[in-house]
Protein backbone atom coordinates (compact mmCIF):
# COMPACT_ATOMS: atom_id res chain seq x y z
CA UNK A 1 0.00 0.00 0.00
CA UNK A 2 1.40 3.41 -0.90
CA UNK A 3 2.56 5.55 1.97
CA UNK A 4 1.31 9.06 2.58
CA UNK A 5 4.51 10.24 0.92
CA UNK A 6 3.45 8.51 -2.31
CA UNK A 7 3.04 10.92 -5.20
CA UNK A 8 -0.05 9.00 -6.44
CA UNK A 9 -3.70 9.73 -5.79
CA UNK A 10 -6.89 8.13 -7.12
CA UNK A 11 -10.15 9.90 -7.88
CA UNK A 12 -13.53 8.91 -9.27
CA UNK A 13 -14.15 12.48 -10.44
CA UNK A 14 -14.96 12.22 -14.17
CA UNK A 15 -13.91 15.86 -14.72
CA UNK A 16 -10.29 14.89 -14.02
CA UNK A 17 -10.08 12.14 -16.64
CA UNK A 18 -7.82 12.77 -19.63
CA UNK A 19 -9.88 11.24 -22.44
CA UNK A 20 -7.19 11.63 -25.11
CA UNK A 21 -4.63 9.86 -22.93
CA UNK A 22 -7.09 7.11 -22.00
CA UNK A 23 -7.92 6.58 -25.67
CA UNK A 24 -4.24 6.29 -26.58
CA UNK A 25 -3.59 3.79 -23.77
CA UNK A 26 -6.54 1.59 -24.64
CA UNK A 27 -6.43 1.75 -28.43
CA UNK A 28 -2.64 1.62 -28.85
CA UNK A 29 -1.13 0.02 -25.75
CA UNK A 30 -3.65 -2.46 -24.32
CA UNK A 31 -4.13 -6.02 -25.55
CA UNK A 32 -7.91 -5.99 -24.96
CA UNK A 33 -8.97 -2.73 -26.63
CA UNK A 34 -6.59 -2.35 -29.55
CA UNK A 35 -8.07 -0.02 -32.15
CA UNK A 36 -10.97 1.10 -29.95
CA UNK A 37 -12.48 4.31 -31.33
CA UNK A 38 -12.35 7.56 -29.38
CA UNK A 39 -16.16 7.75 -29.50
CA UNK A 40 -16.35 4.28 -27.95
CA UNK A 41 -13.91 5.23 -25.19
CA UNK A 42 -15.89 8.40 -24.49
CA UNK A 43 -19.21 6.51 -24.30
CA UNK A 44 -17.71 3.78 -22.11
CA UNK A 45 -16.37 6.34 -19.64
CA UNK A 46 -19.64 8.30 -19.57
CA UNK A 47 -21.66 5.17 -18.80
CA UNK A 48 -19.35 3.73 -16.14
CA UNK A 49 -17.80 4.52 -12.81
CA UNK A 50 -14.27 5.50 -13.82
CA UNK A 51 -11.25 5.97 -11.59
CA UNK A 52 -8.12 7.86 -12.53
CA UNK A 53 -4.70 7.56 -10.90
CA UNK A 54 -2.72 10.79 -10.89
CA UNK A 55 0.83 11.93 -10.24
CA UNK A 56 1.62 15.64 -10.09
CA UNK A 57 -1.70 16.45 -11.75
CA UNK A 58 -1.20 14.13 -14.74
CA UNK A 59 -3.25 11.00 -15.22
CA UNK A 60 -1.09 7.86 -15.01
CA UNK A 61 -3.72 5.12 -14.68
CA UNK A 62 -7.32 4.11 -15.18
CA UNK A 63 -9.81 1.58 -13.85
CA UNK A 64 -13.43 1.38 -14.96
CA UNK A 65 -16.44 -0.34 -13.41
CA UNK A 66 -19.47 -1.09 -15.55
CA UNK A 67 -22.30 -1.38 -13.05
CA UNK A 68 -26.01 -1.09 -12.38
CA UNK A 69 -24.93 0.33 -8.96
CA UNK A 70 -27.08 -2.23 -7.12
CA UNK A 71 -26.34 -5.85 -8.00
CA UNK A 72 -23.44 -6.22 -10.42
CA UNK A 73 -20.13 -4.73 -11.46
CA UNK A 74 -17.51 -5.54 -14.07
CA UNK A 75 -14.02 -4.21 -13.37
CA UNK A 76 -12.33 -3.48 -16.69
CA UNK A 77 -9.89 -1.25 -18.54
CA UNK A 78 -7.38 -1.30 -15.69
CA UNK A 79 -4.31 0.34 -17.17
CA UNK A 80 -1.16 1.96 -15.77
CA UNK A 81 1.11 4.09 -17.93
CA UNK A 82 4.36 2.29 -18.75
CA UNK A 83 6.48 4.92 -16.97
CA UNK A 84 4.62 4.35 -13.68
CA UNK A 85 4.39 0.54 -13.63
CA UNK A 86 5.98 -1.31 -10.75
CA UNK A 87 5.28 1.52 -8.31
CA UNK A 88 2.02 0.27 -6.79
CA UNK A 89 -0.32 2.30 -8.99
CA UNK A 90 -2.35 -0.75 -10.07
CA UNK A 91 -2.68 -1.83 -6.46
CA UNK A 92 -3.75 1.68 -5.46
CA UNK A 93 -6.37 1.75 -8.23
CA UNK A 94 -7.85 -1.63 -7.28
CA UNK A 95 -7.91 -0.67 -3.58
CA UNK A 96 -9.77 2.55 -4.43
CA UNK A 97 -12.24 0.70 -6.65
CA UNK A 98 -13.17 -1.97 -4.09
CA UNK A 99 -13.37 0.65 -1.30
CA UNK A 100 -15.73 2.91 -3.26
CA UNK A 101 -19.20 2.96 -1.58
CA UNK A 102 -21.03 1.88 -4.74
CA UNK A 103 -18.64 -0.97 -5.50
CA UNK A 104 -18.29 -2.08 -1.88
CA UNK A 105 -22.04 -2.79 -1.70
CA UNK A 106 -22.24 -4.86 -4.91
CA UNK A 107 -22.99 -8.55 -4.33
CA UNK A 108 -21.25 -9.61 -7.57
CA UNK A 109 -18.12 -8.26 -9.24
CA UNK A 110 -16.35 -9.85 -12.19
CA UNK A 111 -13.23 -9.12 -14.18
CA UNK A 112 -11.09 -10.78 -16.80
CA UNK A 113 -7.32 -10.64 -17.03
CA UNK A 114 -4.68 -12.35 -19.09
CA UNK A 115 -1.76 -11.78 -16.76
CA UNK A 116 -2.59 -9.87 -13.55
CA UNK A 117 -4.29 -12.53 -11.43
CA UNK A 118 -2.01 -11.82 -8.46
CA UNK A 119 -2.97 -8.15 -8.39
CA UNK A 120 -6.68 -8.92 -8.12
CA UNK A 121 -6.50 -11.99 -5.87
CA UNK A 122 -4.94 -9.85 -3.15
CA UNK A 123 -7.61 -7.18 -3.31
CA UNK A 124 -11.34 -7.44 -2.94
CA UNK A 125 -11.61 -11.23 -2.62
CA UNK A 126 -11.33 -11.88 -6.36
CA UNK A 127 -10.88 -15.53 -7.32
CA UNK A 128 -11.53 -17.83 -10.25
CA UNK A 129 -15.13 -18.55 -11.25
CA UNK A 130 -16.32 -21.70 -9.48
CA UNK A 131 -18.65 -22.77 -12.28
CA UNK A 132 -17.30 -21.25 -15.48
CA UNK A 133 -19.63 -23.39 -17.58
CA UNK A 134 -22.59 -21.42 -16.21
CA UNK A 135 -21.27 -18.19 -17.76
CA UNK A 136 -21.82 -17.37 -21.39
CA UNK A 137 -20.49 -14.69 -23.69
CA UNK A 138 -21.57 -13.02 -26.93
CA UNK A 139 -18.98 -11.27 -29.05
CA UNK A 140 -19.52 -8.92 -31.97
CA UNK A 141 -17.34 -6.63 -33.99
CA UNK A 142 -16.93 -3.18 -32.43
CA UNK A 143 -19.31 -0.55 -33.81
CA UNK A 144 -18.12 1.84 -36.48
CA UNK A 145 -17.93 5.58 -35.87
CA UNK A 146 -21.08 6.06 -37.99
CA UNK A 147 -23.01 3.52 -35.90
CA UNK A 148 -21.91 5.23 -32.69
CA UNK A 149 -23.00 8.65 -33.94
CA UNK A 150 -26.42 7.26 -34.90
CA UNK A 151 -26.97 5.60 -31.52
CA UNK A 152 -25.54 8.29 -29.27
CA UNK A 153 -26.99 11.26 -31.10
Amino acid sequence: MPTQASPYTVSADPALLDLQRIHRWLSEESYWAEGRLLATVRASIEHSLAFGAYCDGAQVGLARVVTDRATFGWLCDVFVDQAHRGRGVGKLLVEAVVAHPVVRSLPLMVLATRDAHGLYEGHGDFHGIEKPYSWMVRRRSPPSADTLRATNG
Side-chain angles (χ1 to χ4, degrees):
M1 184 165 162
T3 64
Q4 288 185 325
S6 170
Y8 300 103
T9 58
V10 175
S11 174
D13 182 351
L16 298 177
L17 296 170
D18 183 338
L19 190 62
Q20 296 296 328
R21 183 172 293 193
I22 293 167
H23 176 248
R24 181 178 45 78
W25 286 336
L26 296 178
S27 68
E28 298 176 17
E29 298 181 37
S30 77
Y31 65 83
W32 63 89
E34 185 177 355
R36 190 175 285 174
L37 299 173
L38 177 60
T40 302
V41 171
R42 179 180 294 112
S44 71
I45 296 291
E46 289 173 356
H47 298 288
S48 301
L49 180 58
F51 297 78
Y54 304 91
C55 181
D56 298 325
Q59 187 169 355
V60 299
L62 171 75
R64 187 168 68 86
V65 179
V66 179
T67 181
D68 63 5
R69 297 176 180 254
T71 64
F72 177 82
W74 169 37
L75 176 57
C76 59
D77 290 344
V78 178
F79 190 92
V80 175
D81 187 270
Q82 183 69 36
H84 295 270
R85 292 182 189 164
R87 299 180 185 182
V89 178
K91 181 179 176 182
L92 186 65
L93 272 166
V94 174
E95 287 173 353
V97 167
V98 299
H100 189 278
V102 168
V103 175
R104 189 173 53 231
S105 67
L106 297 173
L108 180 61
M109 279 283 292
V110 298
L111 64 85
T113 184
R114 181 174 72 185
D115 54 7
H117 294 78
L119 170 65
Y120 301 108
E121 288 170 346
H123 299 88
D125 299 322
F126 289 104
H127 53 81
I129 295 176
E130 298 90 355
K131 298 178 183 178
Y133 54 85
S134 66
W135 289 84
M136 298 180 76
V137 64
R138 178 182 89 169
R139 293 207 185 268
R140 293 183 172 186
S141 297
S144 69
D146 292 336
T147 302
L148 284 172
R149 278 191 292 277
T151 10
N152 293 329

